[in-house]
Amino acid sequence: MKILIIEDEQEIALSIKNYFKTNGVQCETANNCTSALNKIDNYSYDCILLDLMLPDGDGFDILRELKNQNKTEGVIIISAKETLDTRIEGFNLGADDFLTKPFHLSELLVRMQALIRRKNFQGNNTVVFNEISIDIFSKTVTINNERLDLNKKEIDLLLFLIGNNNKVLSKGAIAEHLSGDMADMLDNHDF
């Protein structure tokens, strides 16, 4: 799982990033609209966590741009700005969920996992593809009911490939999914 955290309060962004990393989620951050839009233009994410109040604009501008680009990333708004009008505008612009600050990181993680499950795997906790079965929460893989010993990167790659069934994926897209921003620093993708 690869997410983008768009949050100008560095302490909150770091807290989310550290908590999610310990739960096996790859996180990238942006602290303003400009850097967020640059990352959205250049990379794909499973989910975007979006603060509405940013120093150089507002999160609704990012939602509009996601809509204009026909991006399919799931979006969870995380904001202290909590009014009915704000929520309605966010949902009308394409947000999938809204969480008011302050929130528990465990709740944010569960909401994000549920969103990704709905978008990529029709809401199932277990992904089944032919004879392959992957339990998303326990990170276990079985083939014909025989358990495989795979590491986290291998499971992430397998889920990425199954989630993109019948699509041609470039080496660069696979490297980006597994390494995030670090993919740009690789000399080649022959791994």
Side-chain angles (χ1 to χ4, degrees):
M1 246 183 290
K2 184 172 138 188
I3 68 164
L4 176 61
I5 303 165
I6 304 171
E7 170 64 65
D8 64 322
E9 294 180 48
Q10 293 302 326
E11 189 176 307
I12 293 173
L14 187 60
S15 176
I16 294 170
K17 185 175 182 175
N18 289 338
Y19 182 79
F20 278 28
K21 281 177 102 172
T22 61
N23 285 280
V25 179
Q26 183 183 347
C27 304
E28 294 179 12
T29 59
N31 60 3
N32 58 48
C33 286
T34 305
S35 65
L37 290 171
N38 184 38
K39 286 187 181 237
I40 289 167
D41 286 342
N42 293 307
Y43 304 103
S44 294
Y45 300 95
D46 295 306
C47 185
I48 295 173
L49 305 179
L50 175 65
D51 186 18
L52 293 179
M53 295 182 283
L54 298 167
D56 62 343
D58 106 13
F60 291 136
D61 296 333
I62 293 171
L63 278 172
R64 286 183 194 93
E65 187 58 30
L66 285 167
K67 198 175 196 177
N68 288 341
Q69 292 184 23
N70 294 318
K71 293 280 194 165
T72 59
E73 285 90 345
V75 177
I76 299 175
I77 294 174
I78 51 173
S79 180
K81 189 177 176 182
E82 201 264 326
T83 66
L84 180 59
D85 290 338
T86 303
R87 285 175 176 263
I88 289 171
E89 184 173 0
F91 287 124
N92 284 337
L93 289 172
D96 298 287
D97 201 350
F98 194 110
L99 194 57
T100 306
K101 292 179 186 176
F103 51 81
H104 292 281
L105 292 172
S106 57
E107 180 183 5
L108 177 60
L109 177 65
V110 170
R111 285 178 183 237
M112 186 204 60
Q113 290 171 332
L115 173 62
I116 292 170
R117 243 187 354 261
R118 277 193 312 274
K119 285 194 166 289
N120 295 346
F121 305 111
Q122 293 78 43
N124 296 318
N125 292 331
T126 303
V127 176
V128 178
F129 183 77
N130 296 331
E131 65 276 1
I132 302 169
S133 180
I134 306 168
D135 186 313
I136 295 173
F137 289 123
S138 68
K139 300 285 188 198
T140 57
V141 178
T142 58
I143 295 181
N144 295 324
N145 296 320
E146 187 174 322
R147 188 173 172 166
L148 293 180
D149 187 27
L150 298 179
N151 65 37
K152 185 197 162 315
K153 284 269 192 223
E154 293 167 331
I155 293 171
D156 284 347
L157 176 59
L158 186 58
L159 284 169
F160 184 63
L161 294 172
I162 291 172
N164 287 284
N165 185 26
N166 295 323
K167 293 180 186 172
V168 176
L169 297 171
S170 69
K171 287 181 185 179
I174 294 169
E176 178 192 318
H177 179 77
L178 294 175
S179 304
D181 286 343
M182 300 302 289
D184 294 342
M185 295 180 199
L186 299 173
D187 291 334
N188 64 54
H189 297 133
D190 291 339
F191 55 87

